Amino acid sequence: MKLDEFEIRFDNPRGVFCAGENVSGNVVVKLTKPMKMRCLTLYFEGRAKSHWEVKQGRSKTDYRAGENYINHTVTLYGTGQNNSEHPAGVHSYPFVLHLLPTLPSSYEGRRGYVRYFCKATIDRPWKFDEHTKRAFTVIHHFDLNSEPTASMPIWAEQEESIEGCCCSSGNIQARMTLNKTGYVPGEPLNYTVDIINNTDSDVTGLEVDLRQIVKYTGYSDSIFSSGHPKFHVKTDNYPLFAGPFHAKKHSEAHISRSICIPALPPSRLEGCGIIDITYFVHMQPLVRWSSLQIEKEIIIGTIPLQSPMAPPPSFNEVFLGGVSPSAPPMDLAPPPYQEPPPTYEESVFGRVEIRDENDDAHTEGNLSWAPSYPYYHWDPNTRHFQMIASTNGPSVDANSLPLYSPVAPPVLTPCPSYNQL
């Protein structure tokens, strides 16, 4: 075969870009012999889609919606009109595409997605065209410092009276506290649960979950549809605690734990009009006859709350006992505190198949893919984020993030493919 290599390579090897920046890289073509072609093109697409079905007896109604963000093609070689013979050897064709600052973050879910990809095509006369495809992640930053409630702790309490099969069994009281409201992936969520069990039954367990609740918007394809949007909600759980927890009858039990927020898309998915994401911490003690539970919303962003600045050093600390001048030098004030930049980690919900109805047997590339999200590494000793060296790209500020050597996420059920959309 003449075509030995056909690949899209991003300048950022992990393929993660921030809204408002440029996607740049090269299309690499390696030919063992000259090849006739009309042109070599690179097509960029960014879109959001939602889709679900509602069955009523033998009938079925489809609900779907879509938004287009990028639809752009560039010609890297040839004109597309006349045939030419592309020389053999290794050839690299650079490309650059500017991303609008309003683009939503990448997301892959069970009833829809926000997906960005590029697809290179060799247009061959009288033969099948050759394609290679690669998805990339777009990050629309969500700065927690812009949220007034992000630093506020959360406290909730619920009480329930339980009736057994024969007589009253008393009441059970549950309290849950969280250290704050806003988090970034990699940051520890500290929670405390208190159970006061004044019933005749034992509490045998406790479940604490981080819940991702996604609301999809769609429109019916039925001719009888009103044209008004319909909504479909899906919930995915990430377990924070699930195990033995005992509160015997007429006793109390308490638990305090800390667990890092996994790699997840930011709350709200700003910029997307058909998919909305919210997060909750859900707690439920396991006891007979009880449905007691507590659920409180939290916020997940991409830029963490800024730590308080350290106070400026005293003159004695600066001059080590020397005579203090009448006025401090202006350049001795410490610089504003800045968190270390994050790395990146693949979505905790795993990879999906991105082959769609426009891809044929001649489409190659990395078609199993997951978006990657900013991930901050927490140092429990200093209680600050720690700097992680990155070898996959340049070191930049918090608005233009570096790359990550991934840590294996927990094994969860992956999202299905969306070939039907």
Side-chain angles (χ1 to χ4, degrees), residues 107-110 210-214 235-239 262-265 277 279 300 345-352 369-371 373 409-416:
Y107 167 74
E108 297 286 339
R110 291 198 283 160
L210 173 59
R211 289 189 166 179
Q212 182 195 69
I213 299 180
V214 185
T235 301
D236 285 296
N237 291 331
Y238 180 86
L264 291 167
I277 301 177
Y279 294 96
I300 293 182
E345 186 168 322
E346 281 191 0
S347 170
V348 72
F349 293 115
R351 294 191 165 214
V352 298
W369 178 83
Y373 300 111
V411 177
L412 296 176
T413 302
C415 301

Side-chain angles (χ1 to χ4, degrees), residues 235-284:
T235 301
D236 285 296
N237 291 331
Y238 180 86
L240 302 180
F241 178 86
F245 179 85
H246 300 286
K248 295 184 177 181
K249 57 184 179 181
H250 303 288
S251 69
E252 299 182 8
H254 313 273
I255 185 173
S256 294
R257 293 290 177 91
S258 179
I259 188 168
C260 289
I261 299 292
L264 291 167
S267 295
R268 302 171 191 166
L269 209 63
E270 293 182 354
C272 180
I274 62 174
I275 301 174
D276 181 70
I277 301 177
T278 53
Y279 294 96
F280 294 84
V281 175
H282 178 269
M283 181 275 291
Q284 183 173 13

